[in-house]
Structures are given as C-alpha cells and as structure tokens.
C-alpha cells in the first residue's frame, strides 16, 4: 500500500513540474495615433511568424501572452496606418 501511495505522489509531482516548466511571458501596452494621441480601437498586434496575437480594446490597450522565448518581433497594424514592427 505504501509503495502505491509513494508512486502516486511521485507521479503527481512529475505532472506538476512539467506544467510549471512552461513559462509564459505577457506584454501589454496602449496603441495610440502618433499625431493626435488618440487610442486606436481594434489595432492588430501579432508575434511575427506565429498565429499568436490580439487586438486593442476601447482604450487602445492590449495584453499578449505567449510561451515563445523572447525576443519577439511584434507587428502592429491598423487600417489606414502603415504596419510597424517592434522588437520586444
């Protein structure tokens, strides 16, 4: 009985460690018009070369989380503006 309990505890610990080894990085910010300073609602923010991305909200804020290692090349695009690439 003790042997089974030990194996269960060992297995549970291994599962916990495997999940905790997947580190995630989160960046956040605000997308604004460079001239007027107004928030850009619905701007697209994506990590170059991936399908990981998000859009800015009503205040122009965004938050982007990925387990991809830094540095990231972030592409920011919005209709009527040129796309910008930023290294994070």
């Amino acid at each position: 009985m003790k042997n089974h309990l030990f194996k269960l505890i060992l297995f549970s610990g291994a599962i916990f460690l495997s999940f905790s080894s997947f580190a995630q990085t989160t960046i956040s910010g605000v997308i604004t018009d460079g001239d007027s300073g107004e928030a850009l609602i619905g701007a697209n923010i994506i990590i170059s070369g991936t399908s990981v991305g998000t859009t800015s909200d009503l205040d122009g804020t965004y938050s982007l989380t990925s387990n991809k290692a830094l540095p990231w090349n972030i592409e920011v695009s919005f209709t009527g503006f040129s796309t910008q690439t930023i290294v994070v």
Side-chain angles (χ1 to χ4, degrees), residues 3 16 20-21 34 38 41 45 52 54 70:
N3 192 21
F16 175 74
S20 65
S21 66
E38 291 184 34
I41 302 166
I45 302 97
V52 177
T54 189
L70 293 175

Side-chain angles (χ1 to χ4, degrees), residues 33-84:
D33 180 327
D35 294 331
S36 68
E38 291 184 34
L40 296 180
I41 302 166
N44 295 306
I45 302 97
I46 189 167
I47 300 173
S48 299
T50 72
S51 60
V52 177
T54 189
T55 57
S56 57
D57 64 12
L58 294 172
D59 299 319
T61 61
Y62 70 92
S63 180
L64 182 60
T65 301
S66 176
N67 59 359
K68 185 177 187 295
L70 293 175
W72 297 345
N73 289 324
I74 303 295
E75 294 179 7
V76 180
S77 61
F78 188 76
T79 304
F81 291 80
S82 60
T83 299
Q84 292 188 5

